[in-house]
Amino acid sequence: MVWRSKPRDKGVLPTSEPRSADEGSGGKPGFRAHVTAFIREFGLDWFVLLLFLIIAFVIDKYVPDAGGRTRYFRLLPGQSTSPQMEAFGHPYRKQIITFWASAGLDVGIPALFIGLMELFTRRSFVNFARGMLGAIQSVITCCLIQIILKTFAGGFRPSFFEICKPQPDGPGAGWDGTWYRWTICTGDPDKIAWALESFPSGHVATSFAAGVFLSLYINAKLKVFSDYRPSPLLILFFFAPLTLATLMGGAISADMSHHSYDIIGGAILGSIVALSVYRGLYASIFDSRINHIGLSSSRRFVRKPDYDYVEYDTHYGFPVFTYYGKSY
């Protein structure tokens, strides 16, 4: 099946714009035109994402860990086989992948994939900018949500007891007086605060936010799941970001920074955020006819029944595209 391009209406995306005075030779936009278009189209989005980062930082640094501080744990002196000790008595280990390494991977891997795809396909700055906006928006939005959840829900990490170093000075709560709160901890205050923020896993949440968004982007741009039988290499390319995100969950599990339910919760959160962000930026998630078309904040997308936007054929399971009009 071949999709053919039809004439475009001004109110329908994508649309061709009149040539700007800033265009360079050959009818191609100059550098100033690219910058102006970028700011006009995406500037407000980046400003809002910056506000999200500031809010996340303020909550993380200055709002007490309400969820973890209100929880009780059971302390049975001389007993190391209770369910509480099994859950929270693991040895403390430094994280295999640090926060900054995770942040770098969450941004760097999408930048590499999206950059390479644009370099070898259409070489569109707008496509690259929109794709990176989506990947970073997924990560930052997920970061803000998981920080809120950690602060107001939280929980004890697997190495809580070793970090806490509990020293009860009297009977605790409960009918047998064996239930205590974080106030009996004598360990490092910063580590204790970290040990009270178990749910969900931020590393896994942001990794899945970036990975799922990137996989959706790959599917849309390369039409992996469309009306032809794709090459196994395309299938592998689609699953690469998801595999990397799953490996992040494996690293977090190996260093015992989180419980299994923290990791699963983070993966679900990141996936939902990525799906929502992708649909907010593109005309569809799974409809292969239009899921590569970016939406605009200044005009609606209206698709007519006979309206198609790209023509492609296949060669040994790989799509060969013919593009029309302006890149969106």
Side-chain angles (χ1 to χ4, degrees):
M1 172 179 171
V2 177
W3 300 341
R4 300 198 176 276
S5 175
K6 303 290 184 182
R8 295 176 172 79
D9 298 330
K10 289 185 178 180
V12 180
L13 289 179
T15 181
S16 297
E17 300 292 345
R19 183 178 300 181
S20 167
D22 292 329
E23 288 185 353
S25 60
K28 295 183 178 180
F31 177 76
R32 190 173 64 177
H34 276 308
V35 173
T36 302
F38 175 82
I39 295 175
R40 185 191 310 117
E41 184 70 22
F42 305 116
L44 182 60
D45 298 273
W46 285 107
F47 177 74
V48 173
L49 292 181
L50 179 60
L51 289 181
F52 283 0
L53 275 180
I54 294 173
I55 294 171
F57 175 80
V58 171
I59 294 175
D60 186 48
K61 294 298 181 183
Y62 300 108
V63 177
D65 309 304
R69 291 172 188 264
T70 58
R71 293 176 182 266
Y72 284 88
F73 59 89
R74 197 175 191 187
L75 186 63
L76 299 173
Q79 296 190 26
S80 58
T81 58
S82 67
Q84 293 280 311
M85 291 300 294
E86 289 288 338
F88 311 129
H90 292 268
Y92 169 74
R93 293 180 58 186
K94 290 185 177 181
Q95 291 182 314
I96 296 174
I97 301 178
T98 65
F99 168 81
W100 291 111
S102 174
L105 291 171
D106 292 341
V107 176
I109 292 177
L112 177 63
F113 275 68
I114 295 173
L116 286 176
M117 279 192 292
E118 286 304 321
L119 180 64
F120 289 103
T121 56
R122 196 165 188 182
R123 300 186 180 182
S124 167
F125 176 76
V126 175
N127 281 346
F128 175 79
R130 190 186 303 276
M132 286 306 302
L133 171 64
I136 295 176
Q137 181 179 339
S138 298
V139 172
I140 293 178
T141 303
C142 192
C143 181
L144 174 60
I145 294 174
Q146 64 90 15
I147 284 177
I148 293 174
L149 292 176
K150 281 178 180 291
T151 301
F152 295 102
F156 306 121
R157 292 183 186 264
S159 55
F160 172 73
F161 281 133
E162 182 175 344
I163 293 173
C164 172
K165 298 180 173 57
Q167 293 293 333
D169 54 2
W175 70 273
D176 59 353
T178 59
W179 292 88
Y180 298 89
R181 293 170 61 188
W182 71 278
T183 50
I184 67 169
C185 294
T186 61
D188 182 282
D190 291 335
K191 287 186 177 181
I192 292 173
W194 178 81
L196 295 173
E197 298 179 332
S198 186
F199 181 85
S201 169
H203 282 60
V204 175
T206 54
S207 294
F208 268 83
V212 171
F213 181 90
L214 183 54
S215 288
L216 294 175
Y217 185 91
I218 291 171
N219 172 54
K221 295 300 180 180
L222 299 182
K223 305 301 176 188
V224 179
F225 301 109
S226 183
D227 56 353
Y228 70 100
R229 178 168 56 86
S231 166
L233 288 176
L234 285 183
I235 300 292
L236 181 63
F237 195 47
F238 170 82
F239 277 105
L242 300 178
T243 302
L244 294 174
T246 304
L247 287 175
M248 176 66 76
I252 293 299
S253 176
D255 62 28
M256 294 307 297
S257 296
H258 288 281
H259 304 281
S260 58
Y261 52 81
D262 300 331
I263 296 173
I264 294 173
I268 293 173
L269 172 62
S271 300
I272 293 175
V273 170
L275 287 166
S276 302
V277 170
Y278 191 90
R279 183 57 186 85
L281 289 172
Y282 294 92
S284 175
I285 297 177
F286 301 113
D287 189 341
S288 61
R289 295 169 297 177
I290 58 174
N291 58 0
H292 63 287
I293 300 175
L295 300 177
S296 171
S297 60
S298 58
R299 58 192 184 276
R300 294 176 57 197
F301 172 77
V302 181
R303 180 177 182 272
K304 297 180 180 179
D306 60 343
Y307 215 99
D308 291 318
Y309 306 92
V310 65
E311 180 179 296
Y312 75 89
D313 204 343
T314 62
H315 186 67
Y316 296 110
F318 293 92
V320 180
F321 295 98
T322 302
Y323 296 100
Y324 297 93
K326 186 175 178 179
S327 169
Y328 279 87

